Every structure is written in C-alpha cells, then in structure tokens.
C-alpha cells in the first residue's frame, strides 16, 4: 500500500498558551510558534498539532470556542496564522489544528440565542444544544434531570432560569454540549471545517470525538458516563464529516476516543475508514490507578505503576490494527502528568529515566506524538498553593476532595501528582527569567526547575535528554522499518521491564528497557539474538546479549540487526 505522508513523519503537540510568547504579554502565541520552526526541524518533527487557537473566553484554555472563525486575540490574528502555515510549509512542516465539535463556549452566539427566549434567533439555536426540564423531589423542589457527573467532576446539568430548563455540559458549565442530531448544526460545522481547510491546514485532531451522541432517554445513573460516551450513533456524524470533507480534502484526521473495541477501532481508524486516519487512545496513560480509596475516582486514585498494563494496551492496539489500520504511539498530552514524573523518576534518575522512556516508546511502530517539553524532560509542577493552578478541573476536584474529608495538604498533593496543569507550565527555553518563555510574568507559573532543565542547557551536550530525543526522533523518520515494523513484546506480563523486538523488512530492532530503580532481569531465550549489534544505550557502555540479561535501574539498550548482511 502506498504510504501516506503522516506514516513517515513525527508529530509534535504544541500547547499554544505555554509554548513561546513572542510579544511578551505572558501568553504563548502563534508568532511564537513561527519563530521556533527551526527547532522542530532540529528535532525531526514533520507535523505540528496545535491546541485550539480559536476565539475563546479561555475557561478551558480554548476548548471552549466562542467564535470558530476568529483567532483568539491572546494568540494573534488570522494573518499570523496564515504566516505560520506558509513558513511551516516552506520548511516541509505540516500543521493540524484541534477541532472542537462536542461543545462551544456559553459565550458563543449560538448559545446566547439558545438560552434567551427573547432572542430573535432563539428557536433555531435552542435546538443546537441539549435541554431538559427540571425534575421535582418529594418536597416539590426542582432537581437536576439526572445525577450524571461530567469529566471535570461536577454535575453535567446547569439551570437556565429564562427557559426553566437545564442544559447539558459534560465538561465545564461554560461548555454546553451541542446537539449533533440537529442537521442545521451539522451544516454549520461543515461550513466551518471547510473554511479552515481552505486556509491550507493539513488536518485535524478531533477533540472528544466519541461524545458527540448522547442517550436522549436521559436515564438516571451515577456517574452516568455511558450515557454520553461511545454511543454508536456518533459514528454516523463522523462518517458524514469524513465522506463529505475529510476524505475529499485528503487531510490527516486524528480522533480522540477512549476505550474502543476492535470493531470500533476499525470503524474509526481502519484503512479505508472515512472517519479518521488514526486514533488517540488512552489505555497506557493511567497505568498506576488503584481504586483503594472510595473517595477518589478514576485517575485521582494513585497506586503502583503496572508496567505490564502499558505494554498490554499497546499490544491490544497492535493486534486490533495489524494490517488493517495505523497506530499512534505517545506518552501523554496536555491532559496527563509529565511522563518523567509519572512513569520515570524526576529526581535522582531524571536524565537516565527520561532517556529510558524515550527509548522504550519511540522505537515502536506507528506515528509518534511528542508532547511539548517532553524532549527536555520537563517535570510535574511543585506548586505549593492551590491558587497557582489554572485548570478549571483542578478547582472542582479540589473542592470535591475537601468535601470528602481530605485535608488541604492531602488535596493539594493529589492535585499536584495528577492534574492537567502538570503538562501546561511554560516551555523552558533557557535559564533566564521566566525560562525564556516570555519577558512578562506568564499566565501560569514557570516550573521552579527551569534553571537546570531547559533547551539551551541541553543543546550542546550530545548526551542530553534533548539530543537523545533528536537522535531517536530523526532515526524514526530515516529508518522506515521502525514506523512500519511489527512490535513483539518480550515477557509481556513482566511488571518491571519494557522489552520488545520491532521486526522490519530490512532491519530488526531489539529494545531492552527497565522502568525500575533496581536491576531487573530479562529472559531472552525465546528470541534469536544472532546478528544484533548495539545501536544506543543510556549507560556508559554496551551489554553483551545472552539468554538472560540484567538491566540496571532505568537502563535502556537498543540493538539492530541488518537482515541483508
Ligand atoms: C479533550 C481535551 C481536553 C479538553 C476536553 C474538552 O479531552 O484534550 O483538554 O478539556 O476535550 O474539550
Ligand atoms: Ca503573547
């Protein structure tokens, strides 16, 4: 099969607000990205995914869109955006943007009309959103239609007095969910999507794509996620977009969807699927959740790291898609903690574990997404006051934790280790004030470790985390066997190491990495070691391969075998 451009390139995810501030107002912006284009070249990046750049009141940093046709004034102008596209394309870098379809801001003109019975366009736009009349308790008091809980930890319903209704919001209350059953809404969205494609962008990352359909019976349930997640009819909407726009325009589309079955995975992202080219899945993202405390739900419930569950998730996706679709590999995005803090060791073994994590992931097949700052080993925040956090989710959840009996200190620690702001602190460019991100106090505090962890300090050191990322990311695009190979895990169920062969057409690679601080042995007796030579290690010297090898804490080795020799 002919290879598509996105099967030959690495993706870098930019969190616009925190990447680089070109005009020193404390907020990252579009010109900031343009000024750093050479940086991506030096990293072996061919595709940028840029978080929402649309006009927004920024309740959820742009995922709450006020006007789809306008660039946020925080980030610049449409001219800036066109200039970025032009200059990126000149350098052979393609750009995809976030496409937010599930909801708008409550300040979007549709919602302003929808919530106000006096508005001249009320009737048309009321149906663009999802409304329910109140229920009544035994005392005759108004109560919410259901007990559903949204992704940010509070009720999915907000009361709107002028219509005496509740509207649905599965994210913040400033992000009302759209009614995709409404044909006129779908037409408006298609018009907007075409308009952006006509600007010359190369595709989209489609936000929250499995939430577009809801259970319109509105059954009660707690937390009720199944009523607004992965309901089959959402595929109809994606098919419609795909057939009418994504496929004819021949652009890259990456869907965001958790927990897909095999059938679903192929529907979304199988070759020839109209919906997406690839799917962002999350099976490996929270490999340390342990529901031991009933007061903590989902990701907030931290437990021991289960390395096997990371491997099993990737294995599952490789099995589902082998020969039938194209996979994505990534450690995390703007919604999860920093990987070196989460799965590595951000103190004593910072550099070593960061390189180990790069090695374990980026020799796997599929298209890789590297998240801003990961390439220098940026770490989780150490904020010691709740007021330093910015994410809308933090504040509802912090209150939930206090209400459930945690002390302020305990609640702060839970937030610190798991919250989304971990991945959103300003990019650390150098050791000057504000990490060289801006000359102005940034919208969110710079991480205190910026004087030691930054691009400039790592730039000239061939052995830095940054240069190891450069080496590996470039190696991926220069050696198509990596991206196209077949990944075969070794001792999949082992909870300490992450080892596999990536079997290519011309070259095989053997990757041996240890996720623990202590030495771990790997049984290699099931594979043929003949012809393997050392390609890379984060240790000071190589290791002789044998049926049983011992990997030191956080060590990583890559061996290569050229089949033509
Ligand atoms: C996606 C985004 C997340 C955002 C949410 C609502 O999950 O990754 O950052 O808050 O959708 O748009
Ligand atoms: Ca700025």
């Amino acid at each position: 099969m002919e290879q598509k451009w996105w099967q030959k390139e690495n993706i870098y995810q930019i969190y616009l607000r925190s990447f680089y501030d070109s005009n020193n107002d404390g907020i990252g912006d579009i010109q900031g990205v343009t000024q750093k284009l050479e940086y991506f070249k030096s990293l072996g990046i061919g595709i940028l995914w840029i978080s929402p750049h649309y006009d927004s009141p920024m309740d959820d940093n742009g995922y709450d869109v006020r006007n789809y046709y306008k660039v946020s004034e925080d980030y610049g102008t449409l001219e800036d955006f066109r200039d970025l596209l032009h200059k990126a394309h000149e350098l052979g870098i393609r750009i995809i943007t976030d496409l937010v379809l599930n909801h708008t801001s409550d300040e979007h003109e549709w919602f302003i009309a929808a919530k106000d019975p006096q508005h001249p366009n009320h009737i048309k736009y009321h149906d663009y959103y999802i409304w329910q009349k109140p229920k009544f308790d035994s005392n005759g008091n108004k109560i919410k239609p259901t007990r559903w809980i949204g992704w940010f930890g509070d009720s999915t319903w907000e009361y709107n007095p002028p219509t005496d209704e509740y509207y649905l919001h599965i994210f913040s209350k400033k992000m009302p969910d759209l009614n995709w059953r409404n044909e006129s809404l779908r037409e408006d969205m298609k018009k907007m999507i075409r308009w952006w494609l006509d600007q010359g962008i190369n595709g989209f990352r489609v936000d929250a794509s499995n939430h577009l359909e809801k259970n319109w019976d509105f059954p009660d349930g707690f937390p009720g996620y199944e009523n607004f997640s992965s309901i089959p009819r959402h595929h109809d909407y994606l098919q419609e977009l795909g057939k009418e726009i994504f496929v004819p325009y021949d652009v890259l589309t990456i869907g965001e969807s958790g927990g897909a079955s095999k059938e679903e995975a192929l529907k979304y992202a199988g070759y020839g699927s109209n919906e997406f080219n690839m799917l962002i899945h999350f099976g490996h993202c929270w490999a340390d959740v342990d529901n031991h405390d009933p007061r903590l739900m989902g990701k907030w419930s931290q437990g021991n790291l289960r390395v096997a569950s990371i491997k099993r998730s990737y294995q599952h996706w490789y099995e589902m898609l082998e020969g039938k679709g194209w996979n994505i590999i990534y450690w995390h995005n703007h919604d999860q903690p920093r990987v070196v803090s989460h799965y590595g060791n951000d103190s004593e073994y910072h550099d070593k574990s960061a390189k180990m994590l790069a090695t374990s992931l980026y020799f796997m097949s599929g298209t890789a997404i590297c998240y801003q700052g990961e390439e220098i080993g940026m770490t989780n925040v150490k904020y010691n006051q709740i007021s330093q956090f910015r994410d809308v989710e933090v504040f509802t959840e912090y209150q939930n934790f206090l209400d459930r009996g945690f002390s302020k200190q305990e609640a702060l620690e839970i937030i610190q280790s798991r919250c989304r702001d971990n991945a959103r602190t300003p990019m650390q460019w150098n050791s000057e004030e504000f990490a060289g991100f801006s000359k102005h106090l940034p919208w969110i505090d710079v991480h205190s470790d910026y004087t030691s962890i930054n691009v400039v300090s790592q730039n000239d050191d061939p052995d830095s985390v940054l240069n190891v990322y450069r080496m590996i990311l470039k190696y991926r695009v220069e050696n198509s066997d990596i991206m196209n190979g077949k990944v075969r895990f070794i001792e999949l169920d082992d909870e300490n190491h992450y080892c596999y062969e990536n079997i290519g057409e011309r070259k095989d690679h053997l990757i041996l990495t240890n996720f623990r601080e202590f030495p771990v042995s790997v049984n290699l007796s099931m594979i043929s070691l003949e012809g393997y030579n050392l390609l890379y290690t984060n240790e000071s010297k190589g290791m002789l391969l044998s049926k049983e090898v011992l990997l030191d804490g956080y060590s990583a080795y890559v061996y290569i075998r050229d089949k033509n020799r």
Side-chain angles (χ1 to χ4, degrees), residues 60 63 103 152 171 175 205 207 256 334-335 420 424:
D60 188 20
Y63 283 95
H103 41 265
F152 296 162
F171 294 97
M175 299 156 82
R205 175 266 193 182
D207 184 66
E256 185 204 22
H334 60 291
D335 295 333
R420 308 194 302 176
R424 300 176 179 189

Side-chain angles (χ1 to χ4, degrees), residues 23 52 124 127 152 154-155 176 178 285 299 399 443 513 538:
N23 62 346
K124 174 171 178 192
D127 195 47
F152 296 162
D154 56 354
S155 166
L178 288 162
C285 287
K299 71 174 183 182
Q399 193 53 49
W443 70 278
T513 64
N538 65 354

Side-chain angles (χ1 to χ4, degrees), residues 382-438:
K382 307 265 183 322
Y383 297 158
N384 46 30
Q385 279 167 28
I386 201 72
S387 61
Q388 288 177 283
F389 292 86
R390 293 288 173 270
D391 185 12
V392 53
E393 177 195 63
V394 165
F395 300 103
T396 37
E397 294 290 11
Y398 180 71
Q399 193 53 49
N400 286 342
F401 301 151
L402 297 183
D403 294 346
R404 290 178 205 148
F406 288 102
S407 70
K408 284 187 174 170
Q409 185 56 29
E410 285 167 335
L412 182 70
E413 280 166 21
I414 302 168
I415 297 284
Q416 265 178 355
S417 71
R418 318 296 276 183
C419 80
R420 308 194 302 176
D421 279 336
N422 281 314
R424 300 176 179 189
T425 61
M427 176 72 184
Q428 293 163 202
W429 293 102
N430 59 41
S431 56
E432 289 163 25
E433 199 181 16
F434 308 131
F437 160 75
S438 175

